[in-house]
Amino acid sequence: MVLKGLCERIVASKCTSKSSTETVDCTQVPAYLKAGSSDSKFPKVSLWSSIFTSGFSVAESFSESSASEKKAVHSRSSGWAAAVRKVVTSGSMRRFHERVLGSSRTDISSSDGDIWLLGVCHKISQQESTGGVDTSNGLASFEQDFSSKILVTYRKGFDAIGDSKYTSDVNWGCMLRSSQMLVAQALVFHKLGRSWRKTVDKPVDKEYLKILQLFGDSEASAFSIHNLLQAGKGYGLAVGSWVGPYAMCRTWEVLARIQREKNDLGEPPLPMAIYVVSGDEDGERGGAPVFCIEDAFKHCSEFSRGLAAWTPLLLLVPLVLGLDKVNPRYIPLLRSTFKFPQSLGIMGGKPGASTYIIGVQSEKAFYLDPHDVQPVVNISGDTQEPISTSSYHCNVMRHIPLDSIDPSLAIGFYCRDKDDFDDFCSQASKLAEESNGAPLFTVAQSRSFSKQVSSNDVSGDNTGFEEDTFLGTDHVNDTGANEDDWQLL
C-alpha cells in the first residue's frame, strides 16, 4: 500500500494527461517484475532491490515501439513513464533506494584508522601521527588510488543480447558488472602494475585502453555482458535474471577458456590461468573450501599447454559465510584479505544488489557501485571523436558497514609469478591458523590431504561447499516461476 500510494503521488504531481507516449517492451523487463500472482515466492528484498536500485529507471528498459503501438498506450501509463524518468534523473530514486536497502556514506575519518585498498595501506590515521603531522597526503593518495580503479556500470543502448530484445542490463546485471570490475582490475595489475594511476593531463595509456575495450558492450568485446551470458548458460545465467557469485566465478572460467581457444596462436585476452577454489567434485559439504597447491599448478600447466610450470594466476573463492548475514567470526578474516598484496577485493554487497568491494577501514567497506545507469560508449578508437574514459571511473568513495554485506560473496586474488604465489600461500595459511577453527578457506599441498583435513575440521560453520544463497540468484524461468535448484559450491 505504501508503494502504491507513493506511485500515485508521483503520478499526480509529475504527470499530465499529455505526457510522452513511450511504451514498455515487456521483453525488456526482467521476468520477476512482470505482473503475476499475489503469492509469488520471489524474495521481497530482491523485489525491493529491483525497483529501487540506484539509478534504476523504468525508462531505461523501454524500447522504441511502432506508431500504432504508441497510439494504443493510455496517457496515464505514459505519464507514469515520464514521471519515473524525471525522478531518476533528479537523483530521487537513489535516495529512496538507500532509504529502503540501507544508505551508503562518503565520509572518511582519520580517527578510524588507516585504509587498506587492494593490498596497499594508505596512512591517514591520526593515532600514528605525532607532532601534528599532516595526514592529508595519505588521504589524497587513497583518493587517487580509489578513482583509478575501473568502474563498470549498467549500460543502456547497446546491441540486443542474443535473441532477446534487451538493450540494457538495468535491474539485473549488477553481479555481472561487479565481476567485470574484478577481472578488469586483475588485468590492470598484470599489464600496468599495482602502482598505476589514472592521469588527466597525459594521453590515454594504450594498454589501459585495450583493457577497457575487452569489457565493451557488444559481442565483439571478449568479456562483454553478451559473451558472459552465453558462456554461463550451463550455470543458469540468463538475460534478465540475477546470478550468484559461484555461478559467476564458474562462468569466467568457461569464458576465459573459450576466448583462449579463439586466440590459439596469439596472447589470450586473459593472459592468466583461472582457479575457482570451491567444493570437491564428489559433493562433500561442510567446512571451509580448500585451496590445493597441486591444483594451482595443474591449472597453470593446462593454461600454458604444458610449456611452462607456472603462469600468472587468477584465484576466485566463492563463499557462503552465513544465512541472513555474515557470521561475525568471519568479519576480521575478510578485513585481513585486503592486506594481501595479491588482493583483488570482493564481489558482493547488499542482498540483491551486488557491488565491487575494494577496500576497508576499521568496520567500513569501500566499494564501486555498478548501479548507476550510463549510455553505452565507443572506446574502440575507430572514430574521429576523442576517446573519453570518464564513465569508467568514480570519484565518490562510498562505503557501507562490512558486517552488513551479503553472506554470499566471492573473493579474488592475483598471483603474478611463483614468488607471488608462494607469498599468497604463506599469508593464507597464517590467516587460517588465526581463525580459531573457522577459516574462510584453507591451504593444502594435495587434494588427498585436503580431504583428510576436511573430515577432521568440523568446528566451523563456513558453508563454503554449500548453496549459492545470494538473494539475487533466484533464476526466474519463462513462466515467471522460481526454480529452487540450489548450487553446490
Side-chain angles (χ1 to χ4, degrees), residues 85-331:
R85 178 186 284 110
K86 187 171 183 179
V87 170
V88 173
T89 303
S90 66
S92 301
M93 190 65 81
R94 171 177 283 282
R95 291 192 294 272
F96 192 76
H97 160 258
E98 292 180 345
R99 289 283 298 275
V100 174
L101 292 182
S103 63
S104 61
R105 303 183 62 183
T106 58
D107 58 301
I108 301 174
S109 173
S110 59
S111 63
D112 289 335
D114 298 326
I115 300 176
W116 282 93
L117 185 68
L118 301 186
V120 172
C121 180
H122 295 278
K123 299 284 187 179
I124 67 169
S125 175
Q126 291 180 343
Q127 296 176 354
E128 297 184 10
S129 299
T130 58
V133 175
D134 185 10
T135 59
S136 60
N137 288 339
L139 182 58
S141 173
F142 164 69
E143 292 174 346
Q144 186 183 27
D145 195 2
F146 183 95
S147 63
S148 294
K149 298 298 171 278
I150 292 178
L151 170 72
V152 186
T153 71
Y154 287 151
R155 295 285 179 176
K156 61 178 181 179
F158 50 67
D159 292 339
I161 300 174
D163 296 330
S164 75
K165 294 184 180 180
Y166 281 79
T167 58
S168 171
D169 60 314
V170 176
N171 291 355
W172 55 270
C174 56
M175 178 56 76
L176 287 93
R177 298 303 189 179
S178 298
S179 75
Q180 286 179 317
M181 285 189 268
L182 188 148
V183 176
Q185 196 53 55
L187 286 167
V188 170
F189 284 4
H190 179 77
K191 292 181 175 294
L192 301 173
R194 177 62 182 86
S195 61
W196 178 85
R197 299 292 184 269
K198 176 177 64 71
T199 58
V200 178
D201 55 346
K202 295 181 180 179
V204 177
D205 189 289
K206 291 183 179 180
E207 284 295 336
Y208 159 73
L209 195 59
K210 288 179 181 179
I211 292 173
L212 293 186
Q213 291 168 354
L214 292 172
F215 298 89
D217 294 297
S218 70
E219 292 182 2
S221 297
F223 303 137
S224 66
I225 193 172
H226 300 65
N227 291 328
L228 279 169
L229 288 165
Q230 179 65 30
K233 285 184 176 180
Y235 292 99
L237 270 68
V239 181
S241 295
W242 272 315
V243 61
Y246 171 76
M248 199 70 254
C249 292
R250 290 298 184 188
T251 295
W252 275 103
E253 194 175 43
V254 173
L255 181 57
R257 183 176 65 251
I258 292 173
Q259 294 296 335
R260 187 167 68 248
E261 292 171 351
K262 284 184 178 180
N263 295 268
D264 188 49
L265 299 178
E267 182 183 64
L270 189 66
M272 61 191 74
I274 293 184
Y275 177 13
V276 179
V277 183
S278 62
D280 291 343
E281 61 273 12
D282 56 11
E284 291 181 0
R285 299 189 179 204
V290 179
F291 171 74
C292 182
I293 295 176
E294 286 186 357
D295 283 352
F297 277 92
K298 178 181 177 182
H299 284 286
C300 290
S301 178
E302 290 177 349
F303 176 80
S304 68
R305 294 179 173 86
L307 299 178
W310 183 258
T311 66
L313 182 65
L314 171 60
L315 298 171
L316 299 174
V317 189
L319 298 167
V320 182
L321 302 178
L323 297 177
D324 297 328
K325 62 179 181 179
V326 175
N327 189 313
R329 70 174 67 185
Y330 297 119
I331 297 299

Side-chain angles (χ1 to χ4, degrees), residues 284-401:
E284 291 181 0
R285 299 189 179 204
V290 179
F291 171 74
C292 182
I293 295 176
E294 286 186 357
D295 283 352
F297 277 92
K298 178 181 177 182
H299 284 286
C300 290
S301 178
E302 290 177 349
F303 176 80
S304 68
R305 294 179 173 86
L307 299 178
W310 183 258
T311 66
L313 182 65
L314 171 60
L315 298 171
L316 299 174
V317 189
L319 298 167
V320 182
L321 302 178
L323 297 177
D324 297 328
K325 62 179 181 179
V326 175
N327 189 313
R329 70 174 67 185
Y330 297 119
I331 297 299
L333 304 179
L334 287 174
R335 188 186 302 116
S336 294
T337 63
F338 288 92
K339 299 180 181 180
F340 286 31
Q342 302 80 16
S343 172
L344 285 175
I346 296 174
M347 290 187 286
K350 290 282 189 174
S354 177
T355 63
Y356 177 36
I357 301 173
I358 60 174
V360 291
Q361 181 193 32
S362 185
E363 304 303 318
K364 302 174 183 176
F366 291 90
Y367 66 94
L368 292 172
D369 188 0
H371 295 97
D372 287 324
V373 184
Q374 303 187 85
V376 67
V377 295
N378 181 4
I379 55 172
S380 62
D382 57 2
T383 65
Q384 298 300 320
E385 299 179 2
I387 298 174
S388 174
T389 61
S390 60
S391 66
Y392 286 95
H393 296 277
C394 177
N395 294 320
V396 180
M397 288 153 286
R398 300 187 178 97
H399 59 80
I400 55 175

